[in-house]
Amino acid sequence: MNDTAVVRLEGLTKKIGSKTIVDGLSFEVKSGEVFGFLGPNGAGKTTTIRMMVGLISITDGEVTIQGCSVKRQFEQAMVHVGAIVENPEFYGFMSGYQNLQHFARMMPSVEKDRIDEVVKLVRLEARIHDKVKTYSLGMRQRLGVAQAILHRPSVLVLDEPTNGLDPEGIRELRDYLRQLSREEGIAVIVSSHLLSEMELMCDRVAIIQNGRLLDVRSFKEAPAETEWTEVCFEVGEAERARELIEEDALIRAEGAELVVRLHNRRDAIAALNARFVQEGIPVYGIRAVTKTLEDQFLEVTRGNRIV
């Protein structure tokens, strides 16, 4: 991932009648990153994506892709975009390869070598000449990704791509998207309401609710060493261990696990561990207690229910 922003949303708004569906969204997506677009069903994710790729009109604000305005320079902007909105559709009576050939004819810059390249990239070599009607849903998703990246876009937009996939298919798709971002330098934008999948898949995630942007979180930024942190010690003789911890540092004790709040954590963790050992208290494990994306989502949305 680099710092080049390939997609920018500035005050993006969609109104239908008197109802505001998307309200002033502003964020940017960088080249080579997997960017998550997270929110509960009905939050405005699909509406935003439809505006980004020109499927519905923009009421107010702007979307620019590689510096081209979707409103004023639509064709120039869409040259840089590959997208799957909802489910990928193909001719079932044709093979996967024939479907890709058919799409390639619409893009004069796509050669046979590029078709072979994307087939290999999504690992469909063994089934690419079979009819699409025999494909599983996961294979159709992979073929959809292959079709979307045929023309070497700089942005790949996927709306709820894991819907209907089994756990193996979800993991495969996740691996493909991360590979695409690394090897092709594509900015991948993925919308979902599945918190666990977004945490595993994305470099950053934008959280929206009721059409408004609440926050943009990064999974790659290391917390500063000066921050307070929670650390869990798994110990023997938990009662004796509790007596050695400063009163305001102990957050909770659950059986043999003691969760402690520490400052300057590397030195503090080592010092507390050394004290336990010095006092003859066995230490079986030490781990940082980090907030999951679910914790962060509920914190940002003030605990509103995910549907």
Side-chain angles (χ1 to χ4, degrees):
M1 184 177 70
N2 59 47
D3 292 330
T4 304
V6 293
V7 179
R8 282 193 174 91
L9 276 66
E10 299 176 5
L12 187 65
T13 300
K14 179 64 179 179
K15 294 182 179 180
I16 299 177
S18 60
K19 186 174 183 180
T20 301
I21 310 299
V22 175
D23 190 1
L25 291 187
S26 297
F27 59 82
E28 62 182 33
V29 184
K30 300 174 183 178
S31 175
E33 77 171 324
V34 181
F35 186 90
F37 200 36
L38 174 66
N41 293 332
K45 301 186 302 295
T46 297
T47 300
T48 300
I49 284 176
R50 287 178 176 274
M51 286 191 284
M52 290 172 63
V53 299
L55 292 178
I56 59 175
S57 62
I58 297 171
T59 303
D60 198 9
E62 183 69 273
V63 179
T64 57
I65 299 172
Q66 292 287 37
C68 300
S69 166
V70 170
K71 286 198 294 188
R72 298 186 302 275
Q73 301 162 293
F74 178 72
E75 290 185 7
Q76 295 95 315
M78 289 303 106
V79 166
H80 302 289
V81 178
I84 303 176
V85 181
E86 297 179 344
N87 297 317
E89 297 293 339
F90 302 101
Y91 294 106
F93 63 90
M94 294 167 59
S95 70
Y97 196 85
Q98 289 170 329
N99 272 276
L100 293 179
Q101 284 181 315
H102 179 69
F103 184 76
R105 294 187 188 105
M106 306 178 198
M107 310 292 294
S109 61
V110 177
E111 303 291 340
K112 179 182 182 300
D113 288 347
R114 178 57 179 171
I115 298 177
D116 296 335
E117 184 180 349
V118 297
V119 168
K120 184 177 180 181
L121 190 62
V122 299
R123 302 175 194 170
L124 272 178
E125 304 101 303
R127 297 290 305 276
I128 194 62
H129 295 292
D130 294 349
K131 291 184 178 180
V132 169
K133 66 182 179 183
T134 67
Y135 284 12
S136 67
L137 182 55
M139 292 170 63
R140 286 173 180 259
Q141 289 283 23
R142 281 190 269 166
L143 185 62
V145 171
Q147 176 178 290
I149 64 173
L150 261 181
H151 60 297
R152 300 183 187 276
S154 53
V155 181
L156 176 62
V157 182
L158 304 175
D159 182 27
E160 301 276 4
T162 58
N163 275 357
L165 295 183
D166 59 22
E168 182 179 1
I170 291 174
R171 181 169 183 172
E172 285 184 353
L173 182 63
R174 183 171 68 232
D175 291 343
Y176 299 145
L177 296 182
R178 296 207 63 82
Q179 182 182 356
L180 280 174
S181 66
R182 289 194 307 267
E183 297 184 4
E184 301 256 321
I186 295 175
V188 181
I189 302 173
V190 184
S191 79
S192 182
H193 63 282
L194 301 177
L195 295 163
S196 59
E197 281 309 313
M198 298 295 268
E199 190 165 20
L200 291 170
M201 187 185 302
C202 300
D203 300 301
R204 292 190 300 147
V205 62
I207 301 173
I208 72 164
Q209 188 177 46
N210 299 324
R212 295 181 179 177
L213 179 67
L214 300 183
D215 200 5
V216 177
R217 297 288 175 99
S218 172
F219 299 125
K220 301 303 178 185
E221 295 175 359
E225 286 293 327
T226 57
E227 290 183 355
W228 290 93
T229 190
E230 294 180 15
V231 180
C232 179
F233 288 82
E234 184 183 353
V235 299
E237 302 183 47
E239 287 302 320
R240 283 187 60 213
R242 289 177 65 176
E243 294 173 2
L244 300 177
I245 300 173
E246 294 180 13
E247 185 176 343
D248 61 347
L250 181 64
I251 295 176
R252 61 182 180 274
E254 300 172 357
E257 293 192 345
L258 308 176
V259 177
V260 186
R261 186 171 185 258
L262 297 174
H263 191 52
N264 290 326
R265 58 182 173 277
R266 290 178 66 86
D267 292 340
I269 291 170
L272 185 55
N273 180 55
R275 192 173 182 193
F276 287 153
V277 173
Q278 186 177 14
E279 295 293 330
I281 298 172
V283 178
Y284 302 116
I286 304 172
R287 69 177 188 276
V289 180
T290 58
K291 290 183 179 180
T292 64
L293 180 58
E294 181 177 32
D295 295 331
Q296 295 179 54
F297 184 94
L298 295 176
E299 181 182 275
V300 169
T301 59
R302 297 178 177 85
N304 288 348
R305 181 171 172 263
I306 304 171
V307 294

